[in-house]
């Protein structure tokens, strides 16, 4: 009999039954230290008591309404998000790809209603990842994700990551926006230098373009600021996509925009059946309140700095296998030397009950829950130490 599910994923033979904090527990009772958290999603860890209570409470009142009716918790969360960021307006989605779709539509619509419908092209960067919908795979431009899905969609121009001159040269009369992840996740956990983000902002202002940040992975406290762009002065976006961490594990995303950038998104221009529903908004408010609670992000920065120091030590001990430690905050990449395979490293770590992931550019990726302690970080690093010692050269 064929397997009932499509073969789009290849999970290991391991089934988790429940979780608590940074630990996952199998059906058989084996505990694993979760340093990937659903790929940067479960920022408060598993089964956070306040998130569980909010979801339980809401689940007994009202699950779904559609946006035909007001959802007060959504208005409240949008208010919090706009007060805490560059944005004035929010559209809630269920996922990151949908937040990106909304961001692209918002940018094009802005030029459309300003009398420039010809300005629709979006500049993106090599190594980008923006999700798996048609718009998002074309924005991401990864040939692996585009192959076999028909002709490439018009309207995206990709330039080399970090090549400011190429970016300048790619701007034309038809350019609407520049779309970038302040820290690339999937592409290999690469933080964009602050000067580049400022350079992008300046170029955009000079040419009347909008800047769109994809903070689906690097946002929601992951880098130690509520959003990664907030580390950089003078590089605010016009539009930003958020998801993953902002729902803490409940499917949710958001497209944020300034008043000016959002001016084209009027009644009837966009929609979502589930986006901004009562369950997601109940959890989203709890996640936001926790992330912005006094001291929470300071603790993220502290544990991230500690982890980084430990990993630098690890990189010294395994200088033959580790190229560099990269990323920002608790979005961490260990780039392996050529000839070593990060998926194999993740497998060896998993054998020792540590869960990590892989990313592009030969990088082992870690995105632990933001609530980890220094002890959790030490434990993860000592497991990685053993796994690296065992890691063979890939055949
Ligand atoms: C995961 C991710 C997406 C897509 O999010 P989905 O919820 O899977 O649709 C988009 N952009 C970035 C940077 C991501 O990491």
């Amino acid at each position: 009999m064929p397997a009932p599910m499509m073969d789009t994923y290849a999970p290991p033979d391991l089934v988790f039954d429940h979780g608590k904090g940074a630990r996952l527990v199998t059906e058989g009772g084996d505990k694993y230290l979760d340093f990937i958290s659903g790929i940067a999603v479960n920022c408060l860890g598993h089964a956070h008591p306040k998130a569980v209570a909010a979801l339980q409470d809401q689940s007994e009142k009202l699950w779904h309404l559609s946006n035909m009716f007001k959802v007060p918790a959504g208005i409240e969360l949008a208010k919090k998000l706009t007060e805490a960021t560059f944005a004035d307006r929010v559209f809630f989605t269920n996922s990151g790809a949908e937040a990106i779709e909304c961001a692209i539509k918002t940018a094009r619509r802005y030029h459309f209603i300003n009398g420039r419908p010809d300005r629709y092209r979006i500049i993106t960067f090599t190594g980008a990842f923006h999700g798996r919908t048609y718009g998002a795979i074309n924005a991401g431009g990864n040939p692996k994700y585009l192959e076999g899905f028909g002709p490439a969609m018009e309207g995206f121009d990709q330039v080399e990551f970090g090549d400011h001159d190429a970016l300048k040269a790619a701007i034309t009369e038809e350019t609407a926006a520049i779309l970038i992840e302040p820290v690339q996740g999937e592409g290999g956990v690469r933080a964009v230098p602050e000067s580049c983000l400022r350079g992008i902002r300046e170029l955009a202002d000079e040419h009347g373009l909008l800047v769109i940040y994809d903070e689906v992975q690097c946002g929601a406290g992951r880098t130690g600021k509520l959003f990664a762009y907030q580390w950089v002065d003078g590089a605010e976006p016009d539009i930003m996509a958020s998801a993953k961490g902002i729902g803490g594990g409940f499917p949710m995303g958001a497209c944020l925009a300034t008043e000016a950038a959002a001016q084209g998104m009027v009644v009837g221009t966009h929609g979502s059946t589930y986006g901004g529903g009562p369950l997601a908004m109940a959890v989203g408010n709890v996640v936001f309140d926790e992330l912005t609670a006094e001291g929470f992000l300071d603790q993220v920065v502290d544990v991230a700095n500690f982890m980084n120091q430990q990993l630098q030590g690890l990189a010294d001990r395994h200088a033959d296998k580790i190229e560099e430690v990269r990323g920002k905050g608790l979005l961490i990449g260990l780039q392996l030397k050529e000839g070593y395979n990060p998926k194999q490293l993740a497998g060896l770590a998993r054998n020792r009950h540590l869960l990590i992931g892989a990313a592009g550019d030969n990088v082992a990726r870690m995105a632990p829950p933001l609530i980890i302690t220094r002890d959790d970080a030490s434990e993860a690093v000592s497991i990685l130490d053993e796994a690296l010692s065992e890691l063979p050269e890939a055949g």
Side-chain angles (χ1 to χ4, degrees), residues 40-58:
V41 170
N42 305 295
C43 55
L44 303 181
H46 300 280
H48 188 280
K50 287 187 191 163
V52 170
L55 187 59
Q56 268 173 352
D57 186 47
Q58 185 58 45

Side-chain angles (χ1 to χ4, degrees), residues 167-343:
L167 170 60
K168 260 191 199 162
I171 296 171
T172 71
E173 281 299 299
E174 294 185 337
T175 307
I178 301 169
L179 165 61
I180 189 167
E181 297 156 80
V183 185
Q184 274 192 350
E186 195 76 17
V189 194
R190 293 193 289 185
V192 179
E194 297 191 357
S195 57
C196 286
L197 292 180
R198 273 193 287 269
I200 286 169
R201 180 71 266 175
E202 280 166 20
L203 271 180
D205 290 343
E206 199 179 310
H207 294 273
L209 315 178
L210 300 179
V211 173
I212 307 172
Y213 287 158
D214 181 345
E215 292 228 15
V216 170
Q217 189 159 160
C218 63
R222 176 71 28 206
T223 66
K225 293 271 190 199
L226 187 57
F227 290 100
Y229 82 84
Q230 293 171 328
W231 286 106
V232 190
D233 283 332
E236 287 194 342
D238 302 288
I239 302 172
M240 181 174 75
S242 176
K244 292 200 166 103
I246 57 161
F250 197 92
M252 174 188 157
C255 174
L256 285 70
T258 62
E259 182 71 28
Q263 63 188 280
M265 302 304 275
V266 297
V267 171
T269 52
H270 196 46
S272 167
T273 295
Y274 289 121
L279 294 170
M281 295 301 102
V283 178
N285 271 288
V286 169
V287 172
F288 182 94
D289 292 347
E290 288 299 300
L291 293 180
T292 55
E294 177 85 41
F296 186 95
L297 292 174
D298 296 334
Q299 166 66 18
V300 173
V301 170
D302 176 77
V303 79
N305 287 341
F306 176 78
M307 180 86 187
N308 188 264
Q309 274 169 16
Q310 302 280 304
L311 288 173
Q312 297 296 347
L314 191 76
D316 291 343
R317 283 197 295 288
H318 298 276
D320 55 327
K321 296 179 184 173
I322 296 178
E323 184 67 38
E324 67 166 343
V325 181
R326 44 157 93 163
K328 182 118 185 137
L330 286 178
L331 184 52
I332 305 162
L334 269 188
Q335 190 187 31
L336 301 185
K337 294 243 190 224
E338 209 178 311
Y340 294 95
N341 181 342
K343 285 196 178 133

Side-chain angles (χ1 to χ4, degrees), residues 94-98 100 129-132 181 185-186 214-217 243-244 365:
N94 309 285
S95 68
E98 286 170 276
I100 285 292
F129 179 77
H130 300 298
R132 298 294 200 122
E181 297 156 80
E186 195 76 17
D214 181 345
E215 292 228 15
V216 170
Q217 189 159 160
K244 292 200 166 103
R365 170 168 40 172

Side-chain angles (χ1 to χ4, degrees), residues 3-20:
M5 281 173 56
M6 285 193 193
D7 292 326
T8 51
Y9 298 110
D13 203 7
L14 183 64
V15 179
F16 291 109
D17 177 68
H18 60 278
K20 187 80 202 151

